[in-house]
Amino acid sequence: MFVGFDYGSANCAVGVMQNSEVKLLPLTESSHYLTSTLYALDRELIAEAVHQQMPDSLKAEYAKARASQLTRARSARRELDLEPNEQAVFVGEQAVKAYLDMPEEGFYVRSPKSFLGATGLRADQVALFEDIVTMMMLHIKQEAESTRGLNAKGAITHAVIGRPVNFQGIGGEESNLQAESILRLAAKRAGFVDVDFLFEPLAAGMDYEASLDEDKLVLVVDVGGGTTDCSVVKMGPSHVDAKDRSQDFLGHSGQRIGGNDLDIALSMKAFMLHLGLGCHMVNGLPVPSKPFWNAVAVNDISAQRDFSSLNSRKTIEELIKDAKRPELLQRLLKVQKDQLGYRIVRSAEQVKISLSDADSVTANLDYVCPNLHAEVSQALFKEAIELPSAKIEALMKQALEIAGVKPDVIYVTGGTARSPAIYDKIAAMYPETPIVVGDHFGSVTAGLTRWAQKVFA
């Protein structure tokens, strides 16, 4: 069976063709989308979970490659007093729930796709991300193959997987090759026979193309959870049936800037003043901003490692001694001790979503301090995301400059584009050009699914 597989920064989805129409397969009891998160009671237990669930034919080779991790996993299971078959690794909303129940005890990663092209990863870090992605793909594949997902139970063998134009703003093609290598190996270990890749904005555009009755030049703007990608594409009846579309793709741009960055920026602007950002020391100097940034920079490996370290805790404790408002910095210390950074960013994400339909939202931060709330207005949100939204504008201009054409239409998709603040920015750039808003979450999956039929059929 051939599928389109959107392994997204915010959500994952799988699509199949049925009766010439794209059908998204349920990945949970109540949704076609699975939140891109993983939680493990101990990070060493991820390799154990992968080994248990992967196809039997691949276990020996994997066990040889991960011998030390599997040995440490057995020790971790004993130390945690876990039963041999007791679940220790969770994916999707189960992972979110486990993290919220035990934020300080386990290993939690949100949007692992955002890290795949990171520069400077050590071999053990690459191996960890291979296992994280494999574990998620195993879970998703099993759910998609269940009778709940298909009319008749069957194996998924081939997939077209979406990828951003650039996985990272730095690192160039080397970063892209590293990320693709991780995804390809994970897919193999999850049981896929073969996979191919397609730029996500192109996939989103293909779904739109299926509705066109005349040829158009389309600027596809895909603002996702981890990346923004823009493509200028020739679309329409003259192009839709071609298997080689390389001549139709006139310009691309992409960068790791997306919904996660908006959430982080909003966390800094709206929440961190309640934790001491902007306050002063008794000597009149401002409190350093680095600990606050590290607390919420959940898509930055080095920042997260720094914030969780003992040195970071000691730094905050020293700041408390000399701060004019030590009670505020005590809240930052709690965030560090209890590892609440992800939860703060999750609160910002919920505010962002709520602001799609409201002028002002009250965020509940009582998990940091009793009765702590933060008021967030549309105006504050727009101010907070000024820098990332400017980068999105720059990517649109870059794609059009490379293509050297003026688009007939702008096709906007991606979950982050639901935000009125982002849509308004896009619309204001080219007010004379019509804008079509696609399925914010399903367009990419639909396009990947259509392309899978052409690549593998």
Side-chain angles (χ1 to χ4, degrees):
M1 182 176 295
F2 311 148
V3 301
F5 189 169
D6 182 10
Y7 183 74
S9 298
N11 297 284
C12 300
V14 174
V16 295
M17 295 298 295
Q18 289 191 351
N19 301 320
S20 300
E21 295 293 330
V22 175
K23 177 183 177 183
L24 297 188
L25 302 180
L27 297 182
T28 71
E29 292 288 351
S30 59
S31 178
H32 295 100
Y33 302 98
L34 182 87
T35 303
S36 297
T37 54
L38 179 142
Y39 179 90
L41 297 178
D42 188 287
R43 73 170 62 195
E44 304 296 350
L45 295 170
I46 300 172
E48 177 195 69
V50 169
H51 185 254
Q52 289 174 345
Q53 297 187 34
M54 71 191 312
D56 290 341
S57 61
L58 302 175
K59 286 186 176 180
E61 181 183 357
Y62 178 81
K64 183 178 180 180
R66 293 287 190 272
S68 59
Q69 288 92 334
L70 292 173
T71 298
R72 293 196 296 270
R74 289 190 288 271
S75 298
R77 187 169 282 275
R78 286 194 298 269
E79 290 172 5
L80 293 169
D81 198 24
L82 297 174
E83 295 294 329
N85 296 320
E86 187 174 348
Q87 185 176 359
V89 180
F90 306 86
V91 174
E93 284 302 316
Q94 286 187 346
V96 175
K97 183 179 184 300
Y99 164 71
L100 295 177
D101 289 342
M102 300 175 289
E104 75 286 357
E105 295 181 13
F107 172 78
Y108 181 70
V109 59
R110 178 177 183 256
S111 304
K113 181 181 176 182
S114 299
F115 299 99
L116 301 187
T119 57
L121 291 181
R122 303 187 307 271
D124 62 312
Q125 291 175 317
V126 171
L128 175 61
F129 283 114
E130 289 172 351
D131 289 344
I132 290 170
V133 178
T134 302
M135 187 66 219
M136 293 184 69
M137 286 188 173
L138 281 165
H139 178 88
I140 291 166
K141 189 171 184 290
Q142 290 164 5
E143 289 298 311
E145 288 174 342
S146 70
T147 53
R148 186 175 68 241
L150 303 172
N151 290 338
K153 191 172 183 179
I156 294 172
T157 56
H158 295 67
V160 170
I161 300 174
R163 54 150 288 185
V165 176
N166 290 307
F167 282 87
Q168 296 279 331
I170 57 175
E173 192 57 22
E174 184 177 348
S175 288
N176 293 332
L177 291 173
Q178 173 182 280
E180 271 202 14
S181 175
I182 292 172
L183 289 168
R184 192 179 294 277
L185 179 60
K188 176 186 174 183
R189 287 174 173 169
F192 289 96
V193 174
D194 194 13
V195 297
D196 200 3
F197 296 93
L198 182 67
F199 287 150
E200 289 160 350
L202 305 184
M206 285 177 184
D207 185 48
Y208 168 60
E209 183 178 42
S211 68
L212 291 177
D213 55 13
E214 62 177 337
D215 292 346
K216 291 183 179 294
L217 282 173
V218 182
L219 170 60
V220 182
V221 182
D222 180 11
V223 190
T227 58
T228 293
D229 289 300
C230 302
S231 291
V232 182
V233 192
K234 294 179 181 178
M235 293 185 182
S238 301
H239 310 279
V240 68
D241 292 326
K243 285 193 174 182
D244 182 4
R245 299 294 300 271
S246 58
Q247 298 302 311
D248 298 335
F249 303 146
L250 306 182
H252 309 295
S253 66
Q255 189 176 346
R256 200 187 78 169
I257 188 80
N260 293 339
D261 300 273
L262 304 188
D263 302 336
I264 291 168
L266 183 58
S267 298
M268 283 292 287
K269 187 71 174 181
F271 299 160
M272 285 298 149
L273 72 161
H274 299 286
L275 278 64
L277 180 64
C279 293
H280 288 76
M281 311 296 289
V282 291
N283 61 8
L285 295 175
V287 173
S289 62
K290 184 178 179 180
F292 300 92
W293 174 254
N294 287 348
V296 296
V298 295
N299 57 1
D300 185 322
I301 294 174
S302 60
Q304 287 296 288
R305 187 188 303 120
D306 188 11
F307 186 70
S308 63
S309 69
L310 182 59
N311 283 340
S312 179
R313 182 175 303 184
K314 290 179 177 178
T315 296
I316 297 171
E317 289 172 342
E318 289 299 318
L319 291 174
I320 290 171
K321 293 178 183 178
D322 297 322
K324 290 184 176 180
R325 298 288 305 277
E327 73 280 4
L328 296 183
L329 285 162
Q330 285 286 357
R331 298 172 180 175
L332 180 64
L333 183 62
K334 178 176 175 59
V335 171
Q336 196 279 338
K337 287 182 175 180
D338 294 351
Q339 294 298 293
L340 297 175
Y342 278 103
R343 190 163 184 182
I344 289 175
V345 175
R346 179 176 170 83
S347 293
E349 179 185 24
Q350 292 168 339
V351 166
K352 178 187 68 180
I353 293 170
S354 297
L355 285 173
S356 296
D357 304 307
D359 293 328
S360 181
V361 176
T362 300
N364 185 359
L365 303 176
D366 60 359
Y367 54 86
V368 175
C369 179
N371 302 315
L372 179 60
H373 298 83
E375 294 291 332
V376 185
S377 65
Q378 279 281 1
L380 180 62
F381 177 57
K382 289 181 179 180
E383 185 180 347
I385 66 169
E386 186 174 339
L387 180 58
S389 60
K391 291 182 179 179
I392 293 172
E393 290 181 346
L395 289 171
M396 293 172 62
K397 292 179 180 177
Q398 182 183 354
L400 289 172
E401 288 173 359
I402 293 171
V405 297
K406 180 180 178 182
D408 298 316
V409 63
I410 299 173
Y411 180 70
V412 179
T413 187
T416 303
R418 292 179 61 197
S419 167
I422 294 298
Y423 176 85
D424 290 347
K425 280 281 187 180
I426 294 172
M429 285 189 65
Y430 305 101
E432 73 286 354
T433 305
I435 292 182
V436 175
V437 179
D439 179 345
H440 286 302
F441 295 105
S443 293
V444 170
T445 312
L448 295 172
T449 304
R450 294 181 188 279
W451 193 248
Q453 311 315 303
K454 295 182 180 181
V455 171
F456 296 121

